[in-house]
């Protein structure tokens, strides 16, 4: 059975390399070096990059500004994956260049759902009725 990887049990090296890859991808997107009309027309945020334990695979979590045309942006990023991988490999100088995978970042949507649940009048009533811990 495969070991479940969570942010708590990832090594510092994995986190550092992931953050370096995130910075490189963000810089490439900000400077519009991919030369793509879709990517040039949208502001794209790289919210997180998770590295595999062997540093050969990287999952880049992407969010288009205001969530507009997210599927179109992801398709454009996936079209230019080879360019992004080459740039990351040149700038990082690791033994193996990580294979990039672009995935949508759903954490903002999840946070919004939780926030809406907490604002529900029934939940507010229960929270207000809870005894204080003083």
């Amino acid at each position: 059975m495969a070991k479940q990887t969570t942010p708590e049990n990832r090594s510092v090296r994995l986190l550092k390399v992931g953050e370096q890859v995130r910075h490189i991808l963000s810089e490439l997107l900000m400077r519009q070096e991919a030369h793509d009309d879709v990517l040039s027309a949208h502001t794209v945020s790289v919210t997180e990059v998770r590295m595999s334990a062997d540093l050969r695979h990287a999952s880049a979590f992407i969010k288009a500004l205001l969530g507009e045309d997210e599927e179109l942006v992801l398709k454009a990023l996936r079209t230019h994956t080879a360019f992004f991988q080459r740039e990351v490999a040149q700038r990082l100088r690791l033994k193996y260049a990580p294979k990039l995978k672009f995935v949508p970042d759903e954490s903002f949507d999840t946070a919004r759902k939780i926030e809406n649940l907490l604002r529900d009048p029934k939940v507010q009533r229960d929270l207000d009725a809870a005894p204080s811990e003083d």
Side-chain angles (χ1 to χ4, degrees), residues 48-117:
E48 182 183 3
V49 175
R50 291 185 190 158
M51 302 298 298
S52 65
D54 60 1
L55 298 175
R56 290 188 184 216
H57 299 278
S59 296
F61 291 86
I62 304 299
K63 188 71 174 173
L65 184 66
L66 303 175
E68 293 179 353
D69 303 325
E70 194 164 297
E71 286 302 316
L72 196 61
V73 169
L74 280 169
K75 184 179 178 187
L77 287 168
R78 290 173 180 154
T79 301
H80 296 287
T81 300
F83 166 75
F84 289 114
Q85 284 179 184
R86 185 174 55 251
E87 289 296 318
V88 167
Q90 287 175 353
R91 296 176 189 205
L92 273 185
R93 295 192 173 121
L94 292 172
K95 186 174 182 178
Y96 299 102
K99 189 166 180 69
L100 292 174
K101 182 173 117 180
F102 294 102
V103 293
D105 187 356
E106 304 294 335
S107 63
F108 294 103
D109 299 330
T110 304
R112 188 177 313 117
K113 286 179 187 176
I114 292 170
E115 197 170 298
N116 288 340
L117 283 173

Side-chain angles (χ1 to χ4, degrees), residues 28-44:
L28 291 170
L29 290 168
M30 183 180 66
R31 293 185 178 180
Q32 299 177 355
E33 292 186 31
H35 304 295
D36 186 278
D37 294 334
V38 173
L39 296 176
S40 298
H42 292 83
T43 302
V44 181

